[in-house]
């Protein structure tokens, strides 16, 4: 009987230990507002220099591609019902990497 109790205790400890060893709950990633608001009625491209400053990219091809992805995101965000303006923000996507994201801004 004593062996069974010890075996059960060891088994329970082995099963529960990984759950306690995990890291705590992750916080939401911080979002940095760029200050750029796109008007859905007449969207205009941000300048290459703005994209370069927001993303800290210095390669023309990468900056151009980032701007194209951003404008596609603005187009998708503007398709929402009742959306007049879209706010552009920087959101972390991986360790040390960020991406420009178009977020719907409430109209006031």
């Amino acid at each position: 009987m004593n062996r069974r109790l010890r075996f059960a205790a060891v088994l329970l400890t082995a099963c529960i230990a990984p759950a306690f060893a995990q890291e705590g709950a992750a916080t939401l990633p911080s979002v940095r507002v760029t200050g750029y608001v796109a008007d859905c009625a007449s969207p205009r491209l941000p300048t290459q220099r703005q994209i370069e400053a927001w993303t800290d990219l210095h390669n023309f091809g990468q900056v151009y591609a980032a701007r194209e992805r951003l404008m596609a995101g603005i187009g998708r965000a503007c398709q929402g019902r009742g959306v007049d303006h879209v706010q552009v923000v920087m959101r972390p996507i991986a360790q040390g990497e960020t991406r420009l994201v178009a977020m719907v801004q409430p109209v006031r």
Side-chain angles (χ1 to χ4, degrees):
M1 181 85 169
N2 201 9
R3 279 190 220 166
R4 288 183 184 175
L5 189 58
R6 272 189 260 158
F7 177 73
V10 169
L11 185 61
L12 181 64
T13 304
C15 292
I16 294 177
F20 286 106
Q22 293 177 357
E23 294 180 17
T27 59
L28 292 174
S30 63
V31 174
R32 185 170 50 108
V33 178
T34 61
Y36 185 80
V37 178
D39 183 9
C40 290
S42 60
R44 295 190 322 195
L45 285 171
T47 65
Q48 292 284 103
R49 289 194 188 270
Q50 285 174 312
I51 300 293
E52 184 178 344
W54 296 336
T55 60
D56 201 30
L57 294 172
H58 303 291
N59 178 296
F60 177 79
Q62 292 174 340
V63 172
Y64 185 84
R67 185 169 73 167
E68 291 302 309
R69 283 191 307 270
L70 173 64
M71 291 308 294
I74 289 172
R76 282 190 301 275
C78 284
Q79 290 177 356
R81 186 174 184 191
V83 177
D84 295 326
H85 296 85
V86 175
Q87 176 76 48
V88 175
V89 298
M90 292 290 295
R91 178 183 294 163
I93 57 170
Q95 187 78 357
E97 288 186 52
T98 56
R99 173 170 287 163
L100 286 171
V101 179
M103 296 182 68
V104 175
Q105 174 186 1
V107 179
R108 300 182 200 275

